[in-house]
Amino acid sequence: MGEEPVVEATSNRSRGDRSAKVRGLRRGLVVLAVTFALLQLVPYGWRHSNPPVRADAPWPDAQSAAVARTACYSCHSNETHWPIYSYIAPASWLVRRDVDTGRAKLNFSEWGQNSDAHDAADAVANGSMPPIQYTLLHPSARLSDDERRALVAALRAMKNDSGHGGGDG
């Protein structure tokens, strides 16, 4: 009989430990939920715009234009597709930054202004474009070897197009 209270005490203590862990977990979840809600109030990333297309890139053929629209235009044009997660912080911040950076570097919708097709061709050829974080979320943007070669050739041909700014100046 002397040992029974010890078992009960151990049992009560483990129940108390469990309930303390549950309370801690609940508090943690509440803190996460409140933090997530507050993040939505940060006014960066959730206003999306697609300015008008001023001068579309002079694609040499329909195939390369289609590949570029699938793999490049969401970040490098004024025809960005804004997925649902681009409205939810913190993902909205990352998407907004990527689109702003992509449009500043090369914008197929404003061809002739910052239109460095040579650098774009090099980036596609070496595999740094489209970036892995983009293709993980957008599998249709993954380029086959043939698509990569066709896009590189098209970008290089556009660079040499006499009516448009290239990357040599």
Side-chain angles (χ1 to χ4, degrees):
M1 282 200 183
E3 290 183 24
E4 282 184 41
V6 172
V7 172
E8 283 182 30
T10 303
S11 178
N12 286 338
R13 189 174 8 175
S14 70
R15 280 190 212 133
D17 288 347
R18 269 190 245 134
S19 66
K21 287 179 183 178
V22 168
R23 280 193 306 273
L25 181 60
R26 284 184 187 153
R27 282 188 198 130
L29 290 174
V30 168
V31 167
L32 280 174
V34 169
T35 301
F36 181 76
L38 290 174
L39 288 177
Q40 305 316 305
L41 300 176
V42 175
Y44 175 75
W46 37 268
R47 288 199 180 118
H48 302 132
S49 66
N50 279 334
V53 174
R54 292 185 187 160
D56 198 14
W59 296 105
D61 58 72
Q63 177 192 3
S64 58
V67 169
R69 286 187 181 283
T70 300
C72 311
Y73 269 52
S74 265
C75 290
H76 293 283
S77 80
N78 295 345
E79 301 175 48
T80 301
H81 168 72
W82 299 101
I84 191 71
Y85 59 82
S86 70
Y87 293 90
I88 303 167
S92 62
W93 306 341
L94 299 173
V95 173
R96 176 87 256 168
R97 184 204 61 203
D98 287 349
V99 170
D100 288 348
T101 302
R103 286 178 178 172
K105 187 81 173 158
L106 174 69
N107 191 333
F108 292 117
S109 298
E110 297 181 8
W111 197 253
Q113 300 174 10
N114 293 333
S115 302
D116 197 343
H118 183 267
D119 283 351
D122 289 347
V124 172
N126 72 26
S128 63
M129 281 290 153
I132 188 75
Q133 68 270 22
Y134 184 76
T135 58
L136 287 173
L137 293 173
H138 304 90
S140 64
R142 291 184 192 136
L143 299 174
S144 69
D145 290 341
D146 288 341
E147 289 171 327
R148 188 172 303 281
R149 279 190 291 275
L151 187 54
V152 168
L155 287 165
R156 289 197 172 131
M158 290 163 45
K159 172 190 157 266
N160 297 326
D161 188 328
S162 61
H164 301 282
D168 292 332

